[in-house]
Amino acid sequence: MKRRKKWLAAIMAAVMSMTLAACGGSATSGGTTAAGSTDAATTKAAADTQAPAEGGKTVITLWHAMGGVNGEATEALVKAFNESQNEIEVKSEYQGKYDDLITKLKAAMQSGSMPDVCQMYDIGTKFMTDSGHAIPVQDMFATTNFDPSTVMNIITSYYTVNGKQMSMPFNVSTPMLYYNKDVFKAAGLDPNTPPKTFDEVLEFSKKIVESKAAPVGYAQAIYGWFFEQQIAGQGKYYANNENGRKAPATEVDFLNNGAGLKIFETWKKLMDSGYADNYGSTTADTQTAFFSGQAAMIIESTAILKTATESSDFEIGTGYLPKIDASATDGGVIIGGASLWMMDNKDEAKKNAAWKFIEFTTTPDSQATWSMSTGYFAVNPKAYETPAMKDFIAQNPNFTTAINQLKDTPVNGYTAGVLSGVATESRTIFNEAMEKTYDGTYTPEQAVSFLAEKVNAAIANYNSSTK
Amino acid sequence: MKNKMAKYLLYILNIFFAVIIISPVLYCFNVSMMTMKEVFSGGFWPKQLIPDNYIKALQLAPFFTFIKNSLIVSCTVTFGQIVTGALAAYAFSMMKFRGRNALFLLMLATMMIPSQAIIIANYLIICDLGLKNTYTALILPNVASAFAVFNMRQAFLQLPMEIKEAADIDGCGNFRFFCFIALPLVKPSMGALGIYTFLQSWNHYLWPLLVTDSVNMRTVQIGLGMLQGAESTDFRPVMAGSMIILVPSILAFILGQKQLISGLTSGSVKG
Amino acid sequence: MKKKQFFRVIEPYLYLLPAMFFFSAFLFWPFLKTIWLSFAMTTPLGAVSSFVGLGNYLSIFTSQAFQNSLFVSFKYAVMTVTCSIVMGFILAIISNEDIKGKNLFRTFYALPMAISAAAASVVFMFIFHSSLGIINKVLGTHIGWLTDPKYALNAVTIVTVWMNIGLNFIFLTAALQSVPLDLYECAAIEGAGFFAKHKHITIPCISPTLFFLLIINVINALQAYAQVKLMTQGGPSGSTNVIVYQIYQEAFMNSRFGMACAESIVLFIILMVLTLIQFRLEKKVTY
């Protein structure tokens, strides 16, 4: 009996000590390699990522979703800031892709452990604004005499709500047309004249396929972002209340103003012609089709230019995003990507430090380096005047297409994009609507109705849950 | 004659299936050796064997730190699940007590709770305990699993009743029987369970992402995520990274395999 | 004497204690929270904004999307469970015989388990690509494996089966080790052939493991979402929108956590019912 109890106790002790041993491994607050300390206090202090000032420095954390090459560029930027002064140290932490980052931020908001600066993708703007945990960057402009015109208007318009700029654009992209110059030549098309409208896209695709220059003339991923772009391209609103910027949107506008229907009709016609193909909703698959020479033209983000050049065995050409309606004069592209938000941790020193870092990211040198390493736009037009950038553009003429497209876009409520709390869901619904249009389940009219109905329901739900 | 033909057939079958099953892994390795243009030219074999993508992968994410962390977490979790699982399973299979079936069903029910529903709640528990960014946070929720209990219960049930009866007659206590007779007899199951649990833990992504912040506490799957871009991805370092984190998993399997097939020599009722 | 009696009574519960402690903290307690949230409408942050009683559940049962996901999940589960177990069994049998290179084959068969869903999805995206992919090249077809509603679910099934073969293989191999050799010897003496041997001896002997694998595979099939998230995002046209992906979408992409909790409860109940049915069958079928 006694022996049995002893054995049981031994097992319990083993389990407990195993758990305790696990407790012993934790990150030290200095961020150096994990040491095995069994001190519970250190564990607790280490768990607090917002460590107190080290040697007099204010330490702030940056959460971002930049992986791959962009991750390296982010680290370089943070390093440059840290080395440029002695008062502030920024710790940058990768938190997964955009979807994972917002999940983590939401959880952090609930547990009171937010970072000081957080990158958030474009469609997260309404969520951040409504959350009450963000400090609008415009509130900080006066503290360092920051000139609001440092960043292009067309770019800040996306992140401006009720006349106030909420966040600082960081990685900015727009969609544009990529095409295979070698295939154009083989098909008898002028390699320096990309199509400007979808009518021309169809015409060019026909030539390409019939001349056997390439199996597929045109392809585009099933992606809600492209739909939103084409509504802005027609100079129309996606949602009411001026795209949700004058007052919260309560329903979509693309059904009533006919812009949605035109898009579905144009794309369905293109797919039915047999000269275009569909590679699904995973953008990487459409990119693969282009890089491998299968599809001669695709639309994609300006940010993939570098990858495209390195992956393709042919000369790449770029053009403006093709328009649905050539006559729309106040249409243009909407910027996409992400911006930097200041999170309210009720700490004055950290607030100021966070702003100083954000301001640093907008300097011409920072933006020039960032843009050249990642392929995103430089949000500060002065960055294009730096010698390094000038050289870069001279060597990569395709880069100017994106810059010019942005310059040629009018700044208005259409191109500011929709401010919606249900953008992710709207894009998912769009995917389904588009897929069902392609396979014939829906006519374009039915598809637009379906999309409008579902998105309206989502908007209503969002509005009632945030009352 | 019949035997020889049977043997040849077995070889052929094994080779056939092995090739099919291993080709995606082989393809992964091949892509990790390709140049960017090669990836999109549609070939299966690379034209050269270059370490560039591995170097790039290690540059983009500190895989050795991640492997160390994942090893610590996965080994502890595996040990914990086997211990708690075997103990509970022994009770469910060899002992009679009130509420046995109800408790077993209750425990089984935990396997049916979708993780998405409870992951945020668990994150908040960890935060409240002040355990963010520690190994404990990575390990704690996974120390016990219904899968382990269930698996070990089936294993114990497969043991002939005569052994327990003989032990009872000899006056051997439950715990003694458990440690020195029952457990050694289910080594193959423990081996299989160990492999499975280790690999499951190795493949976790969202939970480590939520409860750790700094890069030196992260685990291998997050490392893979760090290699992928927001708009486009160079897949070669991703494949290289996958290969890098595959190595410890293979080692785990080789270790577990020994347990897996040890049952061949352990007799049954003869002792 | 009384002490001994007392100990006898609580002894089993002591064995259960470690596991139950962790289950309570990290599974039961959050699950209770899930039940509570399922009756509420939540803010985008996840806090309760108002209670709607059975409102979420009613929306679920009238929602076409959810009904579709039930159907898709059922199809998917049937396909993956049967293929995974059958393949695992075949592989376990053929690598259990006395042939050279046995260990190498075994390592190969278990290897897919070591590849995470993320890595596997990336590799299979390339393999299934309609123009660049190996499968279309080998078969000479131009099928959109991931873009055609007719094929997408099959493609995702193939990936899942590939990933799960290892799991079934190792547990069946372990189970095979415990089949008493003397039974095989008797069968050999009586002149039983390869198939008869396995039908009459192997399968009955490993039936507890087969039963276990059946339950595990069903639960896994109804909880797998990483492959769907990375390869098809529930499409095309909802043809791969399994329940768990629907839950993931609702919770993390649509930010309707209350609804996601309600869907989780529904999935939980479905799994419980299926498992109970299987346990009833166990009594009749296992050896």
Side-chain angles (χ1 to χ4, degrees):
Chain A
M1 248 171 299
K2 272 193 189 160
R3 251 188 295 158
R4 237 178 268 143
K5 280 191 181 159
K6 266 198 194 159
W7 275 111
L8 248 145
I11 287 282
M12 289 301 181
V15 172
M16 292 311 256
S17 60
M18 169 197 80
T19 325
L20 275 173
C23 285
S26 59
T28 57
S29 54
T32 46
T33 46
S37 89
T38 44
D39 190 278
T42 324
T43 313
K44 218 177 167 121
D48 185 344
T49 52
Q50 291 147 9
E54 270 187 5
K57 278 197 206 170
T58 315
V59 180
I60 56 172
T61 40
L62 160 73
W63 281 6
H64 67 90
M66 302 277 87
V69 169
N70 298 345
E72 280 186 313
T74 308
E75 297 297 320
L77 181 62
V78 168
K79 189 157 173 243
F81 177 73
N82 287 340
E83 286 172 358
S84 74
Q85 42 75 46
N86 275 322
E87 293 92 34
I88 307 167
E89 188 183 330
V90 176
K91 284 228 194 70
S92 95
E93 293 169 351
Y94 171 76
Q95 301 293 359
K97 305 229 183 94
Y98 290 133
D99 286 330
D100 296 326
L101 173 55
I102 194 175
T103 300
K104 179 139 189 193
L105 184 67
K106 286 183 187 171
M109 283 175 177
Q110 286 188 62
S111 70
S113 47
M114 298 188 294
D116 301 291
V117 182
C118 189
Q119 181 190 29
M120 182 56 57
Y121 54 179
D122 46 5
I123 53 182
T125 304
K126 183 146 174 73
F127 163 72
M128 293 298 271
T129 310
D130 290 349
S131 73
H133 287 279
I135 303 172
V137 293
Q138 187 159 323
D139 289 352
M140 305 298 295
F141 286 179
T143 64
T144 56
N145 288 326
F146 179 77
D147 179 4
S149 66
T150 308
V151 179
M152 289 172 75
N153 266 349
I154 178 65
I155 298 178
T156 55
S157 69
Y158 189 93
Y159 298 107
T160 304
V161 181
N162 281 336
K164 196 177 237 196
Q165 185 181 338
M166 300 299 297
S167 61
M168 188 59 74
F170 180 52
N171 47 316
V172 177
S173 64
T174 58
M176 68 178 179
L177 179 79
Y178 288 78
Y179 64 96
N180 188 331
K181 279 194 176 175
D182 295 359
V183 165
F184 266 44
K185 282 190 212 142
L189 294 163
D190 178 7
N192 295 318
T193 309
K196 293 197 180 46
T197 64
F198 273 97
D199 284 335
E200 281 180 12
V201 167
L202 181 56
E203 197 189 303
F204 285 25
S205 303
K206 182 162 189 258
K207 275 219 180 89
I208 290 170
V209 174
E210 281 177 353
S211 69
K212 298 216 193 317
V216 174
Y218 174 83
Q220 68 179 36
I222 297 181
Y223 187 19
W225 191 46
F226 294 152
F227 178 75
E228 293 155 25
Q229 293 289 344
Q230 292 299 344
I231 296 194
Q234 293 176 65
K236 295 277 196 301
Y237 284 126
Y238 182 98
N240 66 355
N241 291 336
E242 289 176 29
N243 264 343
R245 292 180 184 269
K246 188 153 162 228
T250 56
E251 61 169 20
V252 300
D253 199 40
F254 58 74
L255 180 63
N256 301 331
N257 62 32
L261 182 61
K262 276 218 182 96
I263 300 173
F264 275 92
E265 282 175 343
T266 310
W267 287 350
K268 170 81 172 153
K269 187 168 134 196
L270 200 49
M271 196 56 60
D272 282 348
S273 70
Y275 305 124
D277 205 355
N278 167 38
Y279 295 94
S281 56
T282 312
T283 53
D285 284 338
T286 307
Q287 290 175 17
T288 301
F290 178 69
F291 299 159
S292 60
Q294 181 83 3
M297 298 183 275
I298 62 168
I299 52 177
E300 251 294 348
S301 161
T302 51
I304 73 160
L305 182 55
K306 197 166 171 211
T307 310
T309 320
E310 285 169 3
S311 311
S312 314
D313 216 356
F314 50 81
E315 200 189 340
I316 293 192
T318 52
Y320 284 13
L321 186 69
K323 283 186 181 265
I324 299 259
D325 181 358
S327 63
T329 43
D330 42 0
V333 289
I334 312 172
I335 57 127
S339 61
L340 294 176
W341 289 77
M342 286 178 56
M343 308 309 300
D344 193 357
N345 279 315
K346 312 265 186 268
D347 183 322
E348 195 66 24
K350 291 200 177 177
K351 188 169 99 171
N352 291 326
W355 169 244
K356 290 227 171 69
F357 170 66
I358 292 181
E359 194 185 21
F360 178 81
T361 66
T362 65
T363 61
D365 281 328
S366 298
Q367 282 297 314
T369 315
W370 170 254
S371 178
M372 288 188 290
S373 340
T374 60
Y376 284 117
F377 281 115
V379 304
N380 186 341
K382 292 218 176 76
Y384 293 114
E385 290 161 26
T386 59
M389 200 63 174
K390 281 197 172 148
D391 274 338
F392 178 76
I393 292 179
Q395 288 168 13
N396 297 286
N398 277 325
F399 221 63
T400 42
T401 314
I403 299 170
N404 290 339
Q405 181 175 239
L406 202 55
K407 286 206 184 120
D408 287 347
T409 296
V411 183
N412 54 38
Y414 314 121
T415 59
V418 61
L419 186 67
S420 158
V422 296
T424 317
E425 188 175 357
S426 310
R427 288 183 180 177
T428 311
I429 303 171
F430 167 78
N431 285 359
E432 196 185 338
M434 196 77 243
E435 284 155 3
K436 292 200 167 138
T437 311
Y438 281 161
D439 72 26
T441 318
Y442 287 161
T443 64
E445 288 83 13
Q446 289 171 322
V448 180
S449 298
F450 168 78
L451 181 60
E453 186 195 316
K454 286 260 154 37
V455 176
N456 284 342
I459 294 178
N461 188 298
Y462 178 85
N463 286 340
S464 67
S465 75
T466 51
K467 263 201 305 265
Chain B
M1 255 282 273
K2 202 174 173 188
N3 256 345
K4 257 206 170 157
M5 257 181 52
K7 271 242 161 94
Y8 279 139
L9 187 64
L10 274 175
Y11 271 115
I12 293 176
L13 278 176
N14 271 305
I15 294 177
F16 174 69
F17 283 121
V19 165
I20 292 189
I21 288 177
I22 218 66
S23 25
V25 183
L26 183 59
Y27 187 53
C28 185
F29 176 76
N30 287 350
V31 173
S32 76
M33 289 290 165
M34 290 185 184
T35 61
M36 221 148 161
K37 298 205 191 295
E38 264 187 298
V39 175
F40 295 103
S41 62
F44 186 79
W45 300 101
K47 290 199 178 64
Q48 64 282 311
L49 290 173
I50 44 169
D52 298 13
N53 297 317
Y54 288 87
I55 297 175
K56 187 82 199 178
L58 289 170
Q59 253 180 345
L60 289 172
F63 274 107
F64 292 126
T65 309
F66 294 161
I67 289 180
K68 178 189 83 166
N69 291 335
S70 282
L71 274 177
I72 293 176
V73 173
S74 296
C75 288
T76 314
V77 165
T78 303
F79 178 72
Q81 285 197 14
I82 292 184
V83 168
T84 58
L87 281 171
Y90 182 75
F92 281 128
S93 58
M94 298 276 178
M95 298 181 176
K96 290 188 172 49
F97 52 95
R98 271 242 297 259
R100 182 172 81 163
N101 283 338
L103 278 175
F104 184 65
L105 213 57
L106 186 66
M107 181 221 64
L108 215 56
T110 63
M111 280 200 293
M112 307 178 207
I113 303 173
S115 62
Q116 295 82 7
I118 58 174
I119 199 168
I120 301 285
N122 280 336
Y123 166 82
L124 293 173
I125 293 177
I126 294 288
C127 283
D128 286 340
L129 291 174
L131 287 173
K132 267 187 75 169
N133 225 33
T134 60
Y135 286 125
T136 314
L138 290 168
I139 294 171
L140 217 53
N142 300 312
V143 169
S145 97
F147 181 91
V149 177
F150 189 21
N151 173 254
M152 299 249 63
R153 173 211 189 237
Q154 300 304 92
F156 284 134
L157 282 180
Q158 266 179 242
L159 297 179
M161 282 312 290
E162 294 85 51
I163 305 184
K164 182 81 180 12
E165 285 160 13
D168 280 343
I169 293 173
D170 276 350
C172 176
N174 265 321
F175 199 69
R176 214 135 189 251
F177 180 75
F178 170 71
C179 286
F180 298 111
I181 303 177
L183 274 187
L185 281 177
V186 295
K187 264 203 214 154
S189 285
M190 285 208 296
L193 183 63
I195 295 174
Y196 177 75
T197 307
F198 182 87
L199 292 175
Q200 283 289 91
S201 176
W202 194 253
N203 289 339
H204 277 167
Y205 173 75
L206 194 55
W207 177 251
L209 185 68
L210 282 179
V211 297
T212 59
D213 292 314
S214 51
V215 75
N216 48 301
M217 286 306 288
R218 279 334 192 4
T219 54
V220 289
Q221 300 303 330
I222 299 175
L224 265 193
M226 278 170 85
L227 300 176
Q228 298 177 347
E231 325 269 349
S232 67
T233 298
D234 180 1
F235 286 109
R236 304 166 305 147
V238 177
M239 304 293 191
S242 301
M243 290 283 111
I244 295 176
I245 67 179
L246 191 60
V247 172
S249 324
I250 295 184
L251 290 176
F253 178 69
I254 294 180
L255 275 175
Q257 230 201 61
K258 276 201 179 149
Q259 302 301 317
L260 204 57
I261 55 173
S262 69
L264 261 178
T265 47
S266 65
S268 302
V269 203
K270 296 198 184 124
Chain C
M1 262 319 245
K2 272 197 180 153
K3 242 191 179 176
K4 199 172 179 182
Q5 281 282 68
F6 178 68
F7 184 71
R8 268 264 142 78
V9 168
I10 65 162
E11 192 185 12
Y13 300 105
L14 287 176
Y15 280 76
L16 293 180
L17 205 58
M20 282 303 181
F21 168 71
F22 287 104
F23 288 152
S24 305
F26 296 107
L27 285 160
F28 294 141
W29 167 239
F31 189 51
L32 288 176
K33 238 181 153 191
T34 303
I35 299 180
W36 183 62
L37 279 176
S38 74
F39 296 118
M41 187 190 262
T42 51
T43 65
L45 251 168
V48 175
S49 83
S50 64
F51 278 100
V52 294
L54 290 174
N56 287 335
Y57 291 96
L58 284 174
S59 317
I60 292 177
F61 290 117
T62 54
S63 141
Q64 235 253 332
F66 193 77
Q67 286 163 17
N68 176 57
S69 68
L70 274 178
F71 180 60
V72 169
S73 298
F74 179 71
K75 258 202 297 188
Y76 175 71
V78 169
M79 287 198 291
T80 48
V81 173
T82 43
C83 291
S84 303
I85 297 186
V86 167
M87 273 309 297
F89 182 70
I90 294 177
L91 293 178
I93 298 270
I94 64 176
S95 67
N96 200 38
E97 302 286 335
D98 196 13
I99 49 174
K100 278 197 222 143
K102 192 156 78 165
N103 284 340
L104 187 64
F105 286 126
R106 282 186 165 144
T107 311
F108 279 178
Y109 296 147
L111 208 56
M113 266 169 65
I115 310 260
S116 63
S121 300
V122 169
V123 175
F124 274 94
M125 256 168 53
F126 270 104
I127 294 181
F128 280 132
H129 195 268
S130 58
S131 57
L132 195 71
I134 305 278
I135 292 199
N136 274 343
K137 285 222 166 125
V138 163
L139 295 176
T141 52
H142 188 68
I143 298 177
W145 291 98
L146 297 171
T147 57
D148 188 336
K150 289 197 291 290
Y151 294 100
L153 192 61
N154 296 332
V156 177
T157 304
I158 291 177
V159 179
T160 309
V161 170
W162 182 80
M163 280 166 49
N164 284 345
I165 285 181
L167 153 71
N168 291 296
F169 166 72
I170 59 169
F171 283 112
L172 284 168
T173 301
L176 283 180
Q177 308 312 313
S178 68
V179 178
L181 286 173
D182 23 340
L183 286 179
Y184 282 134
E185 281 161 21
C186 280
I189 292 173
E190 308 231 342
F194 187 79
F195 288 109
K197 170 170 91 169
H198 288 303
K199 184 170 166 202
H200 295 291
I201 299 176
T202 312
I203 294 185
C205 277
I206 63 172
S207 53
T209 304
L210 276 175
F211 173 71
F212 161 76
L213 284 175
L214 182 64
I215 303 230
I216 295 299
N217 274 288
V218 168
I219 293 180
N220 276 353
L222 290 172
Q223 290 194 350
Y225 80 101
Q227 306 91 291
V228 173
K229 175 180 174 209
L230 293 164
M231 294 202 299
T232 57
Q233 295 93 47
S237 302
S239 60
T240 59
N241 196 13
V242 294
I243 295 188
V244 144
Y245 183 67
Q246 178 75 359
I247 293 178
Y248 171 82
Q249 262 193 322
E250 206 69 60
F252 297 126
M253 290 167 68
N254 302 348
S255 297
R256 285 202 289 269
F257 208 67
M259 178 66 85
C261 286
E263 287 175 353
S264 300
I265 303 287
V266 173
L267 175 61
F268 172 79
I269 293 177
I270 293 176
L271 281 172
M272 266 311 242
V273 169
L274 279 176
T275 307
L276 281 172
I277 294 178
Q278 287 172 50
F279 267 96
R280 278 283 143 85
L281 289 177
E282 178 198 22
K283 300 209 162 52
K284 298 190 181 148
V285 168
T286 52
Y287 170 60

